[in-house]
Amino acid sequence: MNPIAILHVPHSSTIIPQEERANIILSEEDLADQILKLTDWYTDELFFQEDGRFEMIRYPVSRLVLDPERFEDDESELMAKLGMGVIYTQTSEGKQLRDPVSPETRERMLNQYYRPHHRCLTMAVSSILSKHGKALVLDCHSFPSAPQPYETDQRKERPDICIGTDSFHTPRRLTELLRDKFIAQGFTVKINRPFGGALVPMKYYRQEKAVSAIMIEVNRNLYMDERTGDRLFDFEKIKQAISSIVSSIVEKSHNC
């Protein structure tokens, strides 16, 4: 079966290649703390689908190396003002993560990590679009149960599920359908809170309505111990719920 949707998983990896570790000035303990706080733990497992309707594209290294969800140009990226643009220079607490990156190093890292990942994502979307006339990108994330210092939304009350939308690429019916499915399963849901937006390959961004996108963020306290990174007993239950909801809304979206 040809895929009809992309599961994009940008932040689940904890891998930091040795050549990149040398440029991070944190101690091993502090680096481990940042990995614990900033990794979207187990999202590649939570969103995994066994059938052939889905293609999962998983970023292979930690976002602390380079973040594929940011705009490549820091002038276009709001988080760059906090030292968390495409290549982080600050931690989640605003401490120095690495020395300023030279233009040469920046270009090398973009060519090594960012651009290959986005080429892969673009090719996958293009393939689905050519076969089916439309394509859907599900941007798969998790978020901490308490706001981190760098986050814009500092409200303590957080939902179980955050749905992120894009005004151009997210059909209202898709948002409503996904929200209602999660609520029916007993989850609390907010739209674009505490995080908003949904990633679309730049080739199609704000240009091609046939490419739809929506972000699903899962509160980590539903499935893991945030102090240790260990899975909770309910992990499989949460995974099954997400799997059934994603499968259902993708099928309905495709048949609309």
Side-chain angles (χ1 to χ4, degrees), residues 16 21 26-39 41 64 91-93 95 97 148-149 220 226-229:
I16 297 181
R21 174 64 181 99
L26 300 179
S27 66
E28 289 298 321
E29 181 181 2
D30 288 343
L31 179 56
D33 179 66
Q34 284 301 294
I35 289 173
L36 179 62
K37 291 176 178 176
L38 289 172
T39 300
W41 290 90
L64 289 166
T91 68
S92 59
E93 289 90 16
K95 298 178 182 178
L97 175 71
Q148 297 191 48
R220 291 177 199 150
E226 295 179 83
R227 299 166 301 174
T228 65

Side-chain angles (χ1 to χ4, degrees), residues 51-152:
D51 65 68
R53 296 175 301 160
F54 300 86
E55 180 176 353
M56 177 172 282
I57 296 179
R58 179 180 182 268
Y59 187 58
V61 298
S62 170
R63 66 192 296 186
L64 289 166
V65 175
L66 181 149
D67 193 335
E69 284 273 315
R70 307 296 197 228
F71 285 111
E72 181 177 327
D73 177 9
D74 279 347
E75 292 185 3
S76 302
E77 178 55 60
L78 294 176
M79 293 302 294
K81 296 178 181 178
L82 298 175
M84 300 181 77
V86 68
I87 300 173
Y88 296 0
T89 56
Q90 294 185 21
T91 68
S92 59
E93 289 90 16
K95 298 178 182 178
Q96 188 175 7
L97 175 71
R98 55 164 56 88
D99 291 325
V101 178
S102 70
E104 294 77 17
T105 298
R106 179 186 177 87
E107 189 67 12
R108 190 266 302 168
M109 293 176 71
L110 289 169
N111 283 331
Q112 188 168 348
Y113 304 108
Y114 188 94
R115 291 166 183 155
H117 178 78
H118 280 270
R119 278 196 297 271
C120 182
L121 179 61
T122 301
M123 289 174 61
V125 171
S126 297
S127 177
I128 292 174
L129 199 58
S130 67
K131 291 180 174 69
H132 301 287
K134 56 184 174 180
L136 172 63
V137 179
L138 290 167
D139 211 14
C140 307
H141 293 260
S142 69
F143 64 99
S145 59
Q148 297 191 48
Y150 75 91
E151 295 176 15
T152 302

Side-chain angles (χ1 to χ4, degrees), residues 212-245:
S212 300
I214 196 162
M215 179 172 69
I216 304 174
E217 296 244 12
V218 184
N219 195 317
R220 291 177 199 150
N221 68 5
L222 291 175
Y223 67 87
M224 65 175 278
D225 184 331
E226 295 179 83
R227 299 166 301 174
T228 65
D230 296 331
R231 296 174 179 83
L232 295 179
F233 181 77
D234 280 346
F235 182 89
E236 287 299 324
K237 177 182 176 181
I238 298 301
K239 177 181 176 179
Q240 290 173 12
I242 292 171
S243 178
S244 65
I245 291 169

